[in-house]
Coordinates of all heavy atoms in Angstrom, one line a residue:
V18 N 9.2 -0.8 -17.4 CA 10.2 -0.9 -18.4 C 9.5 -0.9 -19.8 O 8.4 -1.5 -20.0 CB 11.0 -2.2 -18.4 CG1 11.9 -2.2 -17.1 CG2 10.1 -3.5 -18.4
G19 N 10.1 -0.1 -20.7 CA 9.6 -0.1 -22.1 C 8.1 0.3 -22.1 O 7.6 1.2 -21.4
A20 N 7.3 -0.3 -23.0 CA 5.8 -0.1 -23.1 C 5.1 -0.9 -22.2 O 4.3 -1.8 -22.5 CB 5.4 -0.4 -24.5
D21 N 5.4 -0.7 -20.9 CA 4.9 -1.6 -19.8 C 3.4 -1.3 -19.6 O 2.9 -0.2 -19.6 CB 5.6 -1.2 -18.4 CG 5.5 -2.3 -17.4 OD1 4.4 -2.8 -17.2 OD2 6.6 -2.6 -16.8
S22 N 2.6 -2.4 -19.5 CA 1.1 -2.3 -19.5 C 0.6 -2.3 -18.1 O -0.6 -2.2 -17.9 CB 0.5 -3.4 -20.3 OG 0.8 -4.7 -19.7
R23 N 1.5 -2.3 -17.1 CA 0.9 -2.5 -15.8 C 0.2 -1.2 -15.3 O -0.9 -1.4 -14.6 CB 2.2 -2.7 -14.8 CG 2.6 -4.2 -14.9 CD 3.7 -4.4 -14.0 NE 4.9 -3.8 -14.4 CZ 6.0 -3.3 -13.5 NH1 5.8 -3.5 -12.3 NH2 7.0 -2.7 -14.0
T61 N -0.8 5.2 -21.6 CA 0.1 4.5 -22.3 C 1.2 5.4 -22.9 O 2.4 5.1 -22.9 CB -0.5 3.7 -23.5 OG1 -1.5 2.8 -23.0 CG2 0.5 3.0 -24.3
R64 N 4.7 8.8 -19.3 CA 5.5 8.3 -18.2 C 6.0 9.5 -17.3 O 6.7 10.4 -18.0 CB 6.7 7.5 -18.6 CG 6.2 6.2 -19.2 CD 5.8 5.2 -18.1 NE 5.6 3.9 -18.7 CZ 4.4 3.5 -19.0 NH1 3.4 4.3 -19.0 NH2 4.2 2.3 -19.5

Side-chain angles (χ1 to χ4, degrees):
V18 292
D21 204 311
S22 63
R23 285 180 289 153
T61 301
R64 289 285 186 269

